């Protein structure tokens, strides 16, 4: 068997490197970096993005799971401008970093959802993120009601953030080329547009509805609202004939808020 070259991409770590200079320049422009800012990079890999960004910022804190790259990057970039943590981003304690930094990354696609969920936990510390992700994933995050891509993930992320798909990136922008089209997106965390007393209950409701997205909500929401289902729907100006994808985030907030009031008054 031929020995593997030492830095061959590891597929299981989602290693598709951003090699297209035009795509790199578009990403650089979109991030609107300031000379005095520090940024966090998730998954610097061989440093394609890092090298691009570094001249335009004060410092980069990078988090990389593959120790081969950590070693290489430490040698490549000056220590006063670059720190790499040899760590799994999903286990990383972001409170160890200065607050307010932009988070940038060509994300490993196999963990895009847990990375976003993790950052939601730090939304007050790091309000702005710029990511390369699989296009289909970004479309699910940004989808609006009555669209086939709209689902529980759309509602969950849109509760915490505004999402903007900035531009598409074809497979040829990367090496090795992934099988899917990618895109560059911005995620701006902000206070939820509608406050609820119990967010876990809201997201359980939404997941339950989308768990049976073809069913009418008068049926799919019964496991949650039980005998009060029709009363709650009616109060929230819904007929019950709707499907999960027809309801806006505000509809779900109204339902869970009224249901909680009903319980209190029982
Ligand atoms: N930023 C580089 C670029 O654009 O060319 C590499 C991007 S590549 C799509 C994703 C990177 O994330 C890889 O370097 C991979 O090793 C790293 N990675 C994968 N899983 C990770 C994890 N759990 N924590 C931190 N880094 C991870």
């Amino acid at each position: 068997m031929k020995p593997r070259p030492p830095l061959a991409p590891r597929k299981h770590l989602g290693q598709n490197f951003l090699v297209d200079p035009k795509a790199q320049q578009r990403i650089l422009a979109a991030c609107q970096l300031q000379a005095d800012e520090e940024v966090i990079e998730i998954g610097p890999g061989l440093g394609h993005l890092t090298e691009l960004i570094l001249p335009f910022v004060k410092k980069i804190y990078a988090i990389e799971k593959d120790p081969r790259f950590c070693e290489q990057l430490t040698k490549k970039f000056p220590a006063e401008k670059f720190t790499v943590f040899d760590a799994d981003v999903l286990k990383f304690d972001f409170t160890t970093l200065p607050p307010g930094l932009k988070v940038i990354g060509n994300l490993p696609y196999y963990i895009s959802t847990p990375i976003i969920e993790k950052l939601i936990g730090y939304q007050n510390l790091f309000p702005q993120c710029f990511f390369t992700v699989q296009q289909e994933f970004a479309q699910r995050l940004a989808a609006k009601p009555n669209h086939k891509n709209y689902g529980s993930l759309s509602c969950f992320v849109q509760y915490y953030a505004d999402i903007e798909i900035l531009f598409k990136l074809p497979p040829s922008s990367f090496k090795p080329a992934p099988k899917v089209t990618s895109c560059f997106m911005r995620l701006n965390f902000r206070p939820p547009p509608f406050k609820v007393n119990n967010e876990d209950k809201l997201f359980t409701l939404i997941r339950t509805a989308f768990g049976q997205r073809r069913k009418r909500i008068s049926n799919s929401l019964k496991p949650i609202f039980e005998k009060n289902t029709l009363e709650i729907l009616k109060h929230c100006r819904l007929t019950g004939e709707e499907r999960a994808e027809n309801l806006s985030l505000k509809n779900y907030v109204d339902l869970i808020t009224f249901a909680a009031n009903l319980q209190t008054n029982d």
Side-chain angles (χ1 to χ4, degrees):
M1 215 167 73
K2 264 194 352 200
R4 274 159 69 89
L7 293 182
R10 288 181 169 153
K11 216 173 161 186
H12 72 281
L13 286 178
Q15 293 179 352
N16 301 92
F17 304 110
L18 187 78
V19 291
D20 174 19
K22 273 200 198 130
Q24 293 174 350
Q25 287 305 321
R26 289 187 82 185
I27 288 177
L28 181 64
C31 292
Q32 299 190 326
L33 301 166
Q34 310 290 328
D36 61 349
E37 75 176 310
E38 300 185 327
V39 301
I40 300 169
E41 185 184 358
I42 297 178
L46 288 164
H48 287 94
L49 263 185
T50 324
E51 192 161 18
L52 179 78
I53 292 170
L54 203 60
F56 297 94
V57 296
K58 195 167 140 204
K59 175 150 187 157
I60 296 180
Y61 298 94
I63 305 157
E64 172 59 61
K65 191 175 178 180
D66 190 331
R68 300 175 307 162
F69 297 152
C70 294
E71 200 188 322
Q72 173 121 336
L73 294 168
T74 308
K75 285 185 199 147
K76 188 168 176 182
F77 300 116
E80 67 279 10
K81 285 201 78 173
F82 179 78
T83 300
V84 62
F85 299 94
D86 179 352
D88 180 341
V89 66
L90 299 180
K91 298 187 183 142
F92 189 75
D93 179 4
F94 279 85
T95 61
T96 57
L97 297 177
L101 312 191
K102 275 178 196 159
V103 185
I104 300 175
N106 172 17
L107 295 189
Y109 294 175
Y110 74 107
I111 47 168
S112 301
T113 303
I115 290 176
I116 305 270
E117 284 171 354
K118 166 120 188 167
L119 289 169
I120 285 175
Y122 295 98
Q123 57 185 282
N124 297 328
L125 295 182
F126 308 109
Q128 200 171 48
C129 305
F130 291 90
F131 292 139
T132 300
V133 293
Q134 188 175 340
Q135 176 174 246
E136 200 186 292
F137 174 73
Q139 286 170 337
R140 280 171 58 213
L141 294 189
K144 297 294 178 202
N146 304 315
H147 193 281
K148 68 176 171 33
N149 293 328
Y150 181 63
S152 53
L153 184 67
S154 329
C155 293
F156 176 61
V157 178
Q158 289 172 33
Y159 183 77
Y160 297 107
D162 290 324
I163 294 123
E164 208 180 330
I165 298 179
L166 300 174
F167 48 85
K168 267 207 273 190
L169 293 163
S172 58
S173 304
F174 304 88
K175 205 168 175 186
K179 289 199 175 70
V180 294
T181 298
S182 303
C183 71
F184 195 62
M185 54 163 261
R186 178 171 49 209
L187 209 132
N188 273 331
F189 289 116
R190 38 99 184 110
F194 324 102
K195 203 66 197 130
V196 293
N197 286 338
N198 187 326
E199 290 171 356
D200 287 344
K201 282 192 175 168
L202 172 68
F203 299 129
T204 302
L205 172 72
I206 294 172
R207 274 197 307 274
T208 305
F210 281 100
Q212 297 186 296
R213 64 186 293 149
R214 301 267 153 259
K215 274 197 179 174
R216 293 184 184 92
I217 52 167
S218 54
N219 281 323
S220 61
L221 297 184
K222 256 190 198 144
I224 300 223
F225 297 143
E226 299 173 346
K227 62 178 177 16
N228 295 328
T229 306
L230 289 180
E231 184 189 349
I232 294 170
L233 292 174
K234 196 170 163 208
H235 178 89
C236 298
R237 296 169 198 275
L238 294 165
T239 63
E241 293 290 306
E242 301 86 350
R243 268 67 176 173
E245 69 185 44
N246 304 129
L247 270 59
S248 65
L249 181 56
K250 171 80 165 64
N251 287 139
Y252 286 112
V253 168
D254 287 348
L255 287 171
I256 208 70
T257 306
F258 183 66
N261 288 342
L262 207 60
Q263 260 180 355
T264 320
N265 297 334
D266 263 358

